[in-house]
Amino acid sequence: MHIVVLTKPVPDPAAAAERLGADGRLDRAASPSVVNANDEYALEAALKLTEAHGGEVSILTMAPAAGTDTMRKALAMGAARGTLVADAALAGSCLRSTVQVLAAALREMEFDLVFAGADTSDGGGGVVAAGVAALLRLPYLSNAARIEPDATAGRVRVRRITPTGYDVLDAAMPALIVCTQALGEPRYPSLKGIMGARSKEVATRSLADLGIDAGSVGGAAATTAVLGTRKPPARDATRVVRGTAQEGAAAIIELLDARRLVR
Amino acid sequence: MTAFWVLAEPNADGSLARISTEVATLARTLAEASGGTCTGLVVAAEPGTAASELARFLPSVVAVTEPAVADHAWATIAAQRAADIVGEDPDAIIVLGAGPDGRDAAGTLAALTGRGLLVNATGVTWADGLKVEMSVFGGKLITDSGFTGGGGIVTVRPNTVTAEPAAAAGAIEGRTASGELALPAVAVIEQVEEAGAAAPIEEARIIVSGGRGVGGAEGFQLVQELADALGGAVGATRAAVDSGWIPYSQQIGQTGKIVKPELYLALGISGAIQHKVGMQTAASIVAVNRDPDAPIAEFADLVVVGDLFDVGRELLAALRARSG
């Protein structure tokens, strides 16, 4: 079984150094980059499945050329190889370009399943995977808490989390699955994995390689634009209450009353 | 004249999802501000109930009877029917909720139609064009964005607006879905209800949330009781979820849900950045924590320094005494 995991380098949320440049685009130099946390859950799920059923995991990333540094961590977790789509013309891409490029890259790859994380910590839309599935005419299964492929039957079953429980979905492979944290915690790369990742293959593909007209994607063709930015309004000063539990509870009730949060 | 469309989400029981009442209210307001039209779309095996509810909010509703969604995943199919009905109009603006089904449908719809997509709006206004407000970088920055070509697709976070019915109920036009579906439909072979499944926390007005300090699944009993007393929902940090004390569906933060309730009561939560990004836009934040120097003290409105169980039980008693 071959699984491709979509991974995105994002500004490290823990560094809290994200900012936009003057052009309204993410200033990638301002912040260290990490693998998007939700993508690590998807990668972990893929690794577990290939460990159980055989096969291998590869990762697909669309990012500037420096994206290979972040991809090494995903490779250290156990992915066999990576593909990086990098092209100067992709700067300023809107969601439509991202979907188009990832779909084009997947068309050139062989897979039984494509996995994606629930959303990214920078863009946060959670919409790219559905778009990729639509362009590739793949069955789309989202919000997955359990994934059970049956290679012999060529089908996959997914528990999709719903507001009241879960649905069991069934689809033919190849299919695209959006993973959630409910699939289990990602592993830490082992020392051996980290060493081995250095020599793993990362193929870099340009727009020309994928047969995409550079004028049809990136900032020049963006369907959306940032018009302006502002700081969120500052929060009021924090009131700190130390004392007995009764006094603490009374302070909370006082706030609830003042803000009409209780009857 | 801009045509606004709302792709509404039906609940499993055929009623209208709450998020769709908010999205409909927002879209109607935008249509009024722009002098445009506003039409709701319900795609369901039996769309009648949801369509009637939606018509309370919008001047016109198209109720599409689509038998396939009775036993197939909704979003992929609904997006295709919506794309057909909206048609080619490049200036059309389609608005959906930013929950799981809305995101799935929005992503599919964008790919099918080539329209632009703005996600997780925390506000949408009209002034010579659409302006979509989004909270980015874990709430550190607010951006205003627009579509370069006029129209596009917008997903809207829960609690962005308060749902308000229109002065008069709208007209409902019934249609039966027809035509081949280009995208593969995914079969739903079983629907399982889990005991104690809570209302979606993204929609809750009040959230009582527990972290590592709650100490175990038993500790969440008090969190639940407080949530019940306040008419709210239970949330949790990743640490509490990873420890198996509470289901993933209740997790708030970077890899969980982003919420914006009127009150966020954080019990035994330090307020690390990964959690903060999921809840810091709450209107009021109250924390109960033993550590007065925990990061949450930097952005809470009120910090009660103390044991969460002692303070929580006192608070519960006080709330129960009031409701009699």
Side-chain angles (χ1 to χ4, degrees):
Chain A
M1 175 159 338
H2 196 145
I3 305 176
V4 178
V5 181
L6 307 182
T7 61
K8 183 184 183 188
V10 295
D12 185 355
E18 308 99 325
R19 63 187 179 99
L20 292 184
D23 54 4
R25 297 174 188 168
L26 178 65
D27 180 352
R28 290 179 192 269
S31 175
S33 181
V34 294
V35 179
N36 177 49
N38 275 325
D39 299 347
E40 290 190 355
Y41 289 99
L43 177 57
E44 176 64 34
L47 292 169
K48 281 205 188 90
L49 285 175
T50 52
E51 282 157 11
H53 299 273
E56 70 178 25
V57 176
S58 49
I59 56 172
L60 171 61
T61 296
M62 170 181 144
T68 47
D69 296 344
T70 314
M71 291 171 78
R72 294 285 165 202
K73 192 192 167 195
L75 293 170
M77 281 175 67
R81 67 193 76 246
T83 300
L84 172 68
V85 183
D87 199 302
L90 285 172
S93 284
C94 66
L95 287 164
R96 185 178 70 170
S97 294
T98 307
V99 167
Q100 191 185 336
V101 168
L102 290 173
L106 283 167
R107 277 196 190 99
E108 305 208 328
M109 302 171 84
E110 285 190 22
F111 54 81
D112 302 290
L113 294 169
V114 180
F115 283 7
D119 59 15
T120 54
S121 59
D122 56 352
V127 291
V128 166
V132 171
L135 289 188
L136 295 176
R137 301 291 189 258
L138 291 174
Y140 173 73
L141 303 88
S142 65
N143 229 6
R146 185 180 294 189
I147 302 169
E148 294 168 330
D150 181 341
T152 320
R155 303 195 71 81
V156 62
R157 281 196 177 178
V158 161
R159 273 192 188 183
R160 180 181 194 265
I161 301 170
T162 64
T164 52
Y166 61 88
D167 288 350
V168 181
L169 307 181
D170 177 84
M173 296 197 284
L176 188 149
I177 299 173
V178 179
C179 302
T180 69
Q181 190 181 322
L183 286 158
E185 269 205 82
R187 67 196 63 189
Y188 286 100
S190 65
L191 189 59
K192 186 164 162 256
I194 293 167
M195 302 298 284
R198 292 180 190 165
S199 57
K200 283 180 180 169
E201 179 200 347
V202 176
T204 301
R205 313 280 281 151
S206 68
L207 289 172
D209 293 336
L210 298 176
I212 295 175
D213 172 13
S216 70
V217 292
T223 55
T224 57
V226 176
L227 307 171
T229 65
R230 58 208 141 91
K231 290 265 178 203
R235 293 198 79 95
D236 294 341
T238 304
R239 179 184 173 205
V240 179
V241 173
R242 299 163 200 261
T244 64
Q246 288 91 332
E247 286 161 353
I252 296 173
I253 293 278
E254 192 184 312
L255 179 139
L256 298 182
D257 278 336
R259 302 192 180 191
R260 299 178 183 281
L261 291 163
V262 283
R263 283 180 298 274
Chain B
M1 193 168 72
T2 303
F4 289 87
W5 298 82
V6 173
L7 178 52
E9 297 168 37
N11 288 322
D13 64 1
S15 61
L16 183 67
R18 201 192 95 167
I19 179 70
S20 297
T21 64
E22 296 175 4
V23 170
T25 303
L26 177 63
R28 186 186 75 222
T29 313
L30 293 168
E32 284 163 3
S34 72
T37 61
C38 191
T39 311
L41 295 175
V42 176
V43 180
E46 294 174 15
T49 307
S52 303
E53 289 178 38
L54 190 62
R56 292 175 57 223
F57 296 88
L58 295 175
S60 88
V61 170
V62 180
V64 183
T65 302
E66 170 56 272
V69 296
D71 53 2
H72 292 84
W74 175 83
T76 306
I77 296 171
Q80 292 174 88
R81 297 309 183 199
D84 290 345
I85 291 171
V86 173
E88 299 291 316
D89 175 9
D91 294 326
I93 292 170
I94 309 166
V95 198
L96 305 88
D101 282 341
R103 287 174 160 201
D104 286 353
T108 309
L109 196 48
L112 285 174
T113 62
R115 293 173 198 271
L117 183 52
L118 290 167
V119 293
N120 296 332
T122 52
V124 188
T125 51
W126 182 277
D128 288 334
L130 197 72
K131 198 160 84 172
V132 177
E133 177 196 291
M134 296 181 272
S135 168
V136 299
F137 302 152
K140 276 199 308 185
L141 191 68
I142 294 170
T143 60
D144 290 314
S145 298
F147 295 111
T148 53
I153 301 166
V154 184
T155 67
V156 180
R157 280 204 195 282
N159 292 339
T160 292
V161 298
T162 304
E164 270 178 48
I172 300 173
E173 175 199 343
R175 290 196 202 177
T176 302
S178 62
E180 288 279 302
L181 292 165
L183 304 180
V186 171
V188 179
I189 57 173
E190 194 184 354
Q191 291 187 299
V192 178
E193 303 249 325
E194 284 184 320
I201 47 171
E202 302 100 307
E203 297 182 358
R205 194 176 145 263
I206 290 176
I207 293 175
V208 184
S209 197
R212 202 185 295 273
V214 172
E218 321 75 53
F220 268 91
Q221 181 68 32
L222 177 65
V223 181
Q224 180 72 59
E225 285 178 282
L226 279 166
D228 291 344
L230 286 162
V234 173
T237 64
R238 177 173 163 179
V241 171
D242 278 347
S243 301
W245 302 343
I246 182 154
Y248 166 66
S249 56
Q250 307 311 111
Q251 184 180 319
I252 291 160
Q254 188 197 325
T255 57
K257 308 271 171 62
I258 310 281
V259 297
K260 190 188 172 188
E262 287 179 36
L263 171 68
Y264 194 87
L265 176 54
L267 304 175
I269 291 177
S270 69
I273 183 81
Q274 290 83 353
H275 188 69
K276 180 183 175 188
V277 300
M279 44 65 74
Q280 66 184 335
T281 56
S284 297
I285 299 172
V286 175
V288 181
N289 206 300
R290 280 186 175 174
D291 178 7
D293 298 321
I296 200 164
E298 288 165 24
F299 56 97
D301 298 285
L302 170 65
V303 176
V304 173
V305 182
D307 180 86
L308 73 92
F309 292 100
D310 293 345
V311 177
R313 275 190 283 266
E314 287 293 339
L315 180 59
L316 187 60
L319 290 168
R320 283 180 176 165
R322 284 178 158 230
S323 61

